Amino acid sequence: KEAVHPGDGLFMFLHLPAPHYPWRTYPDGPQWGEGPVDRYDASVARADWATGRLLDGLRARGLYEDSVVVITSDHGTGLGEHGRLGGFHPYEEQLRVPLLIRVPGVAPRRVAEPVSGIDLAPTLVSMVRGGSPSAYHGHSLTPLMTGRLAQLPRRHLFAHSAFEDALAVWDILTGDKLILHRAAQYAWLFNLKDDPAERHPLPRSARYEELLRLTLGYLKLGDKTWGNPYHYSPPP
């Protein structure tokens, strides 16, 4: 009978809070300064160090070669680009995050297709015998990872803030992106191809209204399964 490793079937979720605001430096880490960006970089370095310890531990226990490893973030960080520090509003600096997936037997590749955190669950489920990724709202990324597909069958990506009543929708094809902040009662339309820094909101238009309807439809689709309770309260 084939021996079973005690780590077989193990699922581990490791959440590293160091890069979350407020940031700080660590006595045994890099000392780049005490400005906000310096402290943020030091906090990211701390998370990098901790991730290295985890991977070294997997290798030492003979688990790394047979493990699926995912490294990502729940949100990015604003460093004053839009007036605030941290991850509060769905601007690009707070939405674009790293996503690295290592799968035994799958050759490394860089995927250009935009994807979302909502795709992680169906991706992992698709790697388990009997798993059903179609039960999730997102898409399995395994066809992209293996090169069987160059793009997914969708046109829009959605995002919402976990801290404020703010949402966003992005049209992958045209670059149009609407940010809706219901609590502050504003909605801004940008085109990321022409204005990647999101500095110049476009005039209200039929396109604006279309993306606004899509954004509110995203909440309805979730039916209170994502977001915080205030996302499902009537706007003020």
Side-chain angles (χ1 to χ4, degrees):
K1 183 177 180 180
E2 184 179 352
V4 177
H5 193 284
D8 287 351
L10 173 68
F11 177 85
M12 180 193 306
F13 174 79
L14 178 62
H15 183 208
L16 301 173
H20 284 78
Y21 188 82
W23 312 302
R24 67 185 184 91
T25 57
Y26 296 82
D28 55 346
Q31 304 298 311
W32 288 309
E34 286 301 321
V37 176
D38 300 320
R39 287 184 281 112
Y40 174 68
D41 288 345
S43 297
V44 172
R46 189 68 172 186
D48 182 69
W49 169 82
T51 301
R53 288 198 65 189
L54 170 65
L55 298 180
D56 288 344
L58 292 176
R59 293 186 182 98
R61 290 160 178 80
L63 293 170
Y64 180 77
E65 293 302 325
D66 295 324
S67 294
V68 175
V69 179
V70 179
I71 299 176
T72 190
S73 177
D74 54 343
H75 61 81
T77 294
L79 297 173
E81 296 91 339
H82 290 90
R84 294 182 69 174
L85 299 175
F88 296 95
H89 294 159
Y91 290 106
E92 288 301 283
E93 64 268 17
Q94 296 168 53
L95 293 184
R96 293 185 177 267
V97 299
L99 175 58
L100 298 92
I101 304 177
R102 178 204 178 272
V103 180
V106 177
R109 69 172 60 236
R110 183 184 295 270
V111 175
E113 171 75 359
V115 299
S116 172
I118 204 172
D119 300 323
L120 280 179
T123 300
L124 295 175
V125 166
S126 71
M127 300 177 190
V128 179
R129 186 180 295 115
S132 178
S134 61
Y136 294 83
H137 288 289
H139 293 265
S140 171
L141 303 180
T142 51
L144 297 178
M145 294 158 51
T146 57
R148 288 187 287 118
L149 280 182
Q151 61 185 61
L152 296 173
R154 66 177 168 206
R155 179 166 172 174
H156 300 94
L157 288 177
F158 297 90
H160 57 75
S161 170
F163 304 104
E164 299 184 10
D165 194 356
L167 306 101
V169 60
W170 174 38
D171 186 321
I172 299 171
L173 181 62
T174 66
D176 291 330
K177 176 183 174 184
L178 184 86
I179 293 179
L180 170 64
H181 199 303
R182 299 198 309 166
Q185 296 184 290
Y186 70 77
W188 289 338
L189 175 65
F190 301 95
N191 184 277
L192 298 183
K193 294 182 179 180
D194 300 330
D195 181 22
E198 298 166 294
R199 297 292 185 187
H200 308 289
L202 299 172
R204 191 159 182 159
S205 61
R207 183 62 171 154
Y208 172 104
E209 299 294 343
E210 177 189 0
L211 293 181
L212 182 60
R213 288 193 298 272
L214 275 174
T215 305
L216 295 176
Y218 167 77
L219 286 182
K220 185 176 181 181
L221 174 67
D223 192 24
K224 302 186 180 181
T225 59
W226 49 52
N228 285 339
Y230 49 63
H231 287 124
Y232 298 96
S233 302

